[in-house]
Structure formats: structure tokens, C-alpha cells
Amino acid sequence: MRELKNLLITFLLFILLTQTSAYITFKNIDYKTQYLEPSKTYDLYVTFQTDEEINNTVVYIKPYNQMSEKYIQIIKGKQWIGHLFPSEIGVAHFIIKIKDNAPNYDYKMVVYCNYTKNGEQYSENRIFTLPVRGKANIIIKPNSNILKVGTNKVLILLTNKGTGTAENIKITFQNSNNLLILGDNTFTITSLSPKITTCIPLTIFAKKEGVYSINYKISYENPYDLLELTQKSETINGDSKTETLTYQNKNIVENIGILTFNVFPNKLISININNPIITVGKINNLTISIKNNYKDSLFIVQINKYFIGNNQKTVFIKKGETKNITFQIKVDKEGITSIPVVIYFDNNQIEKNLTIDVIGKADLVLSGINIESSFNEVKITGDIDNIGTGKAKSVLISIVRTKNIIPKKPYENYFVGTLNPDDYGSFELHCVINGNVSEIPIKITYRDENNNLITINKTIKINKEVISLKNKNSEEINYLVIGIGIIFVIGVVYLIYRGFKKGKND
């Protein structure tokens, strides 16, 4: 055990002597900046000078501890130098990257210089510090640059796109000729971490349409010294020279900027239904009218109730134009109801409930039809019933004139009048028929509760035998009368003949 201990001490002394037998001097480690920032890549330059002639010189770097290993990425960590003469300066170039999530910290790196001298191998090293400090960078923009004439509630988004925390943030907004800040125009925020967005509410009154801007001023602090060289001087005293550098701490950042808004009329679009009164059932032409007061845009119109088939239509509307969009709907219940409509255009969304008045729908049918005929004249009587849910006004039922059907006055038309739901009216129609006819066309007209003129075409089938039978019976009667007359004449002649013959015989 003692021998092992002595051997370990000897080995450590050998390492110590090797390290203290230095033939090179590390002169500078330069990364061309005061602080390194997360997510950025840097060039490192290590300069050193040899006191003796050395060979096979290799310089490389490594993270010194676990913290450095976790957040420092070595992209190029080795440089071959080769042969150096006494007093010659060598330069090794390395590339590293500070990882995105690296916290503020003084990271440690170690640089090694391996070389040979007189056939013996040597290694020298030096530990140096990489001060990583994130730098805040606050970007300001509104959640929307669209304003309407009048009062607008706007959210101003503040995003720290930098790598360091911004502290003691102060923002001041200024009025312009056409945009006025209502209420507070100065806001303060304690801190804002990297990659975080916050928002502040701003109330802006826009006087008129157009493109206008407001100015802002923002100031915040970076939580570390940010030195800026402000003065450099040299003093020469004999063979010596003294250089004096003066820095100013610029950790307070101040920026000014402009927020631009496009002001449109208070009502971007006008929406209404052209036919707000509809009847129960299927409607093929529910028409939504849109007037565009905004700007040339593509509009997507969507209805979310009562629709049949496609409930979404797309139309391009220029500013100042009005266009109609037609949908198919079906409503089974009467009364005042609403149709929810959503309109999308240019990142805007407008939701509105459009009101419609659903009224009853008349449904007229014929019943109790009776047909009478005399020779070629036909008389039709019956009832017309309203079995629907709406009122039928000015009901008129008529026979349609054709080649073989001629309406006969005064009953070519029959005015029934108004039929309420579950109501009926009687009618009588006359016409003259020429030729073979199997049905008689009937036309019914009325006005619905929207005062629209409605036409219904129906047919009344007739039995040919009804008409032909009565004609046939009349002909048979005529033939019977003629036959009886002939027989009567023959009988009379016969009786006269017998009387004449009897008298002759007497």
C-alpha cells in the first residue's frame, strides 16, 4: 500500500514537473466581443509564443466543467500548427456556438498545446473564461393594424426576441393629427424574459379614414454591464507607452418607432337578407346582400342554420360594391327566427344573426268533384280546400282553353276569394267539348301572404262514357219515336185499307 502511494506521488510530481517545464507562453484569447450571447456562433483565436524550437504542435480546446459542457458546443476545436522557431507566434483558430438556452454565466474553457522538443512530448494548458450574457431585443407591433373611425381597443404586443431579460421597461405613445390616445399613454413593465410576448391595452380614437401613424418611445435595461468605448488616449514617457481606454455603461437601451394603422369606416360591411319574409318549407333563393365598405377582398360567407347542401359560398367584392349570395334553406316552423351568418375577409371575422319571418304556406286541393254533361256541354262543380298553414288570397279557378275544350261563359272562371287555413270554397265551371277528351285542365291562381302571385295547374279526368252514354240514350229515344210513328202510320194505313175493302164487299 505504501509502495502504491509512493508511486502515485512520483507520478504526480512528474506531471507537475512536466507542466512547469513550460516552453510556450499563451499571450491572448480573443473572441472579438465583450460578451457572448446565446444562440450565436463565435470565432476564438488563441495566440501563443514559444521560447524554444518545437515540433508537431497541436492546439485544441475543451469545456472545463459540466456547466460548460452542457451549454458550449465545439464546432471546430483542434488546430494543427506544426513547427515553430523560438520567439515565433502561433495562432490557433476555433469555432464555438453558445446554445440557445444558455443562462447568463462565466463559462470555463481549457486550451491545450501539445508539442515535441528534442524527441520528448510536452503538453501545456490554460483555463480561460467565456462570459455569456443574453441581450434583450424588444419588438413592438399591434395585434391588428386595422382601425375603424371612432374609438378602437387595440392590444400592443411586446416580444423579447433577444437572448437576455429586459428590465424596467417603459413605453410612451404620442398622439398624431388623426389618431388620439385615450386614457393612459405611458406603460411600465418590470421585466420581460427572452422569447416571451406580453401585451398592453391601448385605446385609440380615429378621426377619419386613411393611413395614419403614432410614434412611440421605449426604454429598458439589460441586466449586465454593456460597455461602449468612448475615448482612447496614449501617454508616451521615454521608452514606455501607456494606453488609456474609457468606457461608458450602455446597459440602458432607448428606441423610438412608429406604429402605422389603416383606418376604415366604422361599418366595414353591410349585411342584410333581401327576402326576410319566407314561407314554411324549402326556399331555393334565400339571398344575403353584402356591401363592401372596406377594400377589395375575397369574402367567405357561411350560414349555420337551416341550410340545405352547401352552407358556404365565396365571392370577390370590390370596395363600394354590393353583391348577392343565394342559399337553399328549409324551415318547418312559423314565426320570427334568426339565421347565424359568419363572414371571413382579409383576416377579419364578422358574426351576425339575420332575422327572417317564416309565415304559413297555403296548399290548395280539389275535392267533391262532380261532372254533368248535356250533349257536348260539361258542367263541373266541387270544392277547393286550403289544407296548408298560410292564407290564400284572391283565389281564382279557371278552365284552360285548348283546341277541343272551350270555356263557356259566365262560368269559364270562378272567383272563390280568400281561403284561410282549414277553409274551403265551392266553385262551378262550364265548357264545351269538341272531339274526344279524357281530362280537362284547370288553373288555380292566388296570392300568398307575401303578396306573391302563385299559379297551380291541375287536371280533372272525365269519363268518356258519361258524355257518350247520354248522347246514345237520346239517339235511341229518337229512333224509338220514329219507329213507333212508322208503326202507327202503317197501322192507320192498314185500318183504312181494311175498311175500304169491307165497304167494297158490302
PDB file of all heavy atoms in Angstrom, residues 277-290:
ATOM      1  N   ILE A 277     -89.031  37.800 -45.474  1.00  0.00           N
ATOM      2  CA  ILE A 277     -90.285  37.092 -45.208  1.00  0.00           C
ATOM      3  C   ILE A 277     -90.348  35.890 -46.138  1.00  0.00           C
ATOM      4  O   ILE A 277     -90.361  36.041 -47.358  1.00  0.00           O
ATOM      5  CB  ILE A 277     -91.507  38.008 -45.420  1.00  0.00           C
ATOM      6  CG1 ILE A 277     -91.408  39.239 -44.517  1.00  0.00           C
ATOM      7  CG2 ILE A 277     -92.788  37.251 -45.150  1.00  0.00           C
ATOM      8  CD1 ILE A 277     -92.535  40.230 -44.714  1.00  0.00           C
ATOM      9  N   ILE A 278     -90.357  34.704 -45.557  1.00  0.00           N
ATOM     10  CA  ILE A 278     -90.375  33.476 -46.358  1.00  0.00           C
ATOM     11  C   ILE A 278     -91.487  32.573 -45.850  1.00  0.00           C
ATOM     12  O   ILE A 278     -91.990  32.744 -44.745  1.00  0.00           O
ATOM     13  CB  ILE A 278     -89.025  32.736 -46.304  1.00  0.00           C
ATOM     14  CG1 ILE A 278     -88.746  32.253 -44.878  1.00  0.00           C
ATOM     15  CG2 ILE A 278     -87.893  33.612 -46.806  1.00  0.00           C
ATOM     16  CD1 ILE A 278     -87.517  31.389 -44.778  1.00  0.00           C
ATOM     17  N   THR A 279     -91.843  31.621 -46.673  1.00  0.00           N
ATOM     18  CA  THR A 279     -92.896  30.689 -46.298  1.00  0.00           C
ATOM     19  C   THR A 279     -92.299  29.411 -45.748  1.00  0.00           C
ATOM     20  O   THR A 279     -91.133  29.092 -45.981  1.00  0.00           O
ATOM     21  CB  THR A 279     -93.773  30.368 -47.516  1.00  0.00           C
ATOM     22  OG1 THR A 279     -92.949  29.864 -48.573  1.00  0.00           O
ATOM     23  CG2 THR A 279     -94.505  31.602 -48.004  1.00  0.00           C
ATOM     24  N   VAL A 280     -93.111  28.701 -45.000  1.00  0.00           N
ATOM     25  CA  VAL A 280     -92.663  27.423 -44.442  1.00  0.00           C
ATOM     26  C   VAL A 280     -92.286  26.475 -45.572  1.00  0.00           C
ATOM     27  O   VAL A 280     -92.932  26.433 -46.618  1.00  0.00           O
ATOM     28  CB  VAL A 280     -93.788  26.801 -43.580  1.00  0.00           C
ATOM     29  CG1 VAL A 280     -93.444  25.379 -43.188  1.00  0.00           C
ATOM     30  CG2 VAL A 280     -94.016  27.641 -42.343  1.00  0.00           C
ATOM     31  N   GLY A 281     -91.223  25.711 -45.338  1.00  0.00           N
ATOM     32  CA  GLY A 281     -90.803  24.720 -46.322  1.00  0.00           C
ATOM     33  C   GLY A 281     -89.458  25.054 -46.933  1.00  0.00           C
ATOM     34  O   GLY A 281     -88.645  25.777 -46.356  1.00  0.00           O
ATOM     35  N   LYS A 282     -89.228  24.549 -48.124  1.00  0.00           N
ATOM     36  CA  LYS A 282     -87.953  24.713 -48.809  1.00  0.00           C
ATOM     37  C   LYS A 282     -87.932  26.023 -49.585  1.00  0.00           C
ATOM     38  O   LYS A 282     -88.852  26.323 -50.343  1.00  0.00           O
ATOM     39  CB  LYS A 282     -87.720  23.539 -49.752  1.00  0.00           C
ATOM     40  CG  LYS A 282     -86.396  23.574 -50.487  1.00  0.00           C
ATOM     41  CD  LYS A 282     -86.263  22.349 -51.381  1.00  0.00           C
ATOM     42  CE  LYS A 282     -84.962  22.397 -52.167  1.00  0.00           C
ATOM     43  NZ  LYS A 282     -84.837  21.229 -53.073  1.00  0.00           N
ATOM     44  N   ILE A 283     -86.875  26.806 -49.353  1.00  0.00           N
ATOM     45  CA  ILE A 283     -86.678  28.078 -50.054  1.00  0.00           C
ATOM     46  C   ILE A 283     -85.390  27.982 -50.862  1.00  0.00           C
ATOM     47  O   ILE A 283     -84.312  27.737 -50.314  1.00  0.00           O
ATOM     48  CB  ILE A 283     -86.602  29.259 -49.061  1.00  0.00           C
ATOM     49  CG1 ILE A 283     -87.854  29.311 -48.199  1.00  0.00           C
ATOM     50  CG2 ILE A 283     -86.397  30.563 -49.804  1.00  0.00           C
ATOM     51  CD1 ILE A 283     -89.124  29.553 -48.963  1.00  0.00           C
ATOM     52  N   ASN A 284     -85.495  28.146 -52.164  1.00  0.00           N
ATOM     53  CA  ASN A 284     -84.327  27.996 -53.029  1.00  0.00           C
ATOM     54  C   ASN A 284     -83.528  29.279 -53.203  1.00  0.00           C
ATOM     55  O   ASN A 284     -82.412  29.235 -53.727  1.00  0.00           O
ATOM     56  CB  ASN A 284     -84.761  27.490 -54.413  1.00  0.00           C
ATOM     57  CG  ASN A 284     -85.298  26.087 -54.361  1.00  0.00           C
ATOM     58  OD1 ASN A 284     -84.763  25.233 -53.669  1.00  0.00           O
ATOM     59  ND2 ASN A 284     -86.377  25.830 -55.091  1.00  0.00           N
ATOM     60  N   ASN A 285     -84.073  30.392 -52.773  1.00  0.00           N
ATOM     61  CA  ASN A 285     -83.414  31.665 -53.096  1.00  0.00           C
ATOM     62  C   ASN A 285     -83.319  32.603 -51.898  1.00  0.00           C
ATOM     63  O   ASN A 285     -83.654  33.783 -52.010  1.00  0.00           O
ATOM     64  CB  ASN A 285     -84.150  32.356 -54.245  1.00  0.00           C
ATOM     65  CG  ASN A 285     -85.590  32.678 -53.885  1.00  0.00           C
ATOM     66  OD1 ASN A 285     -86.140  32.118 -52.960  1.00  0.00           O
ATOM     67  ND2 ASN A 285     -86.199  33.594 -54.630  1.00  0.00           N
ATOM     68  N   LEU A 286     -82.894  32.072 -50.745  1.00  0.00           N
ATOM     69  CA  LEU A 286     -82.616  32.981 -49.631  1.00  0.00           C
ATOM     70  C   LEU A 286     -81.376  33.797 -50.009  1.00  0.00           C
ATOM     71  O   LEU A 286     -80.280  33.253 -50.158  1.00  0.00           O
ATOM     72  CB  LEU A 286     -82.366  32.206 -48.346  1.00  0.00           C
ATOM     73  CG  LEU A 286     -82.077  33.094 -47.137  1.00  0.00           C
ATOM     74  CD1 LEU A 286     -83.357  33.707 -46.612  1.00  0.00           C
ATOM     75  CD2 LEU A 286     -81.366  32.325 -46.038  1.00  0.00           C
ATOM     76  N   THR A 287     -81.520  35.088 -50.168  1.00  0.00           N
ATOM     77  CA  THR A 287     -80.465  35.936 -50.727  1.00  0.00           C
ATOM     78  C   THR A 287     -79.894  36.863 -49.664  1.00  0.00           C
ATOM     79  O   THR A 287     -80.617  37.675 -49.076  1.00  0.00           O
ATOM     80  CB  THR A 287     -81.006  36.760 -51.904  1.00  0.00           C
ATOM     81  OG1 THR A 287     -81.559  35.866 -52.874  1.00  0.00           O
ATOM     82  CG2 THR A 287     -79.885  37.567 -52.542  1.00  0.00           C
ATOM     83  N   ILE A 288     -78.593  36.729 -49.425  1.00  0.00           N
ATOM     84  CA  ILE A 288     -77.863  37.599 -48.493  1.00  0.00           C
ATOM     85  C   ILE A 288     -77.106  38.645 -49.312  1.00  0.00           C
ATOM     86  O   ILE A 288     -76.335  38.306 -50.214  1.00  0.00           O
ATOM     87  CB  ILE A 288     -76.905  36.785 -47.618  1.00  0.00           C
ATOM     88  CG1 ILE A 288     -77.696  35.817 -46.732  1.00  0.00           C
ATOM     89  CG2 ILE A 288     -76.041  37.704 -46.763  1.00  0.00           C
ATOM     90  CD1 ILE A 288     -76.827  34.917 -45.892  1.00  0.00           C
ATOM     91  N   SER A 289     -77.326  39.908 -48.984  1.00  0.00           N
ATOM     92  CA  SER A 289     -76.699  41.016 -49.699  1.00  0.00           C
ATOM     93  C   SER A 289     -75.549  41.582 -48.859  1.00  0.00           C
ATOM     94  O   SER A 289     -75.717  41.826 -47.663  1.00  0.00           O
ATOM     95  CB  SER A 289     -77.731  42.104 -49.986  1.00  0.00           C
ATOM     96  OG  SER A 289     -77.116  43.235 -50.585  1.00  0.00           O
ATOM     97  N   ILE A 290     -74.383  41.767 -49.480  1.00  0.00           N
ATOM     98  CA  ILE A 290     -73.204  42.296 -48.786  1.00  0.00           C
ATOM     99  C   ILE A 290     -72.695  43.522 -49.537  1.00  0.00           C
ATOM    100  O   ILE A 290     -72.394  43.450 -50.735  1.00  0.00           O
ATOM    101  CB  ILE A 290     -72.079  41.249 -48.701  1.00  0.00           C
ATOM    102  CG1 ILE A 290     -72.564  40.009 -47.945  1.00  0.00           C
ATOM    103  CG2 ILE A 290     -70.838  41.824 -48.030  1.00  0.00           C
ATOM    104  CD1 ILE A 290     -71.543  38.914 -47.884  1.00  0.00           C
TER     105      ILE A 290
END
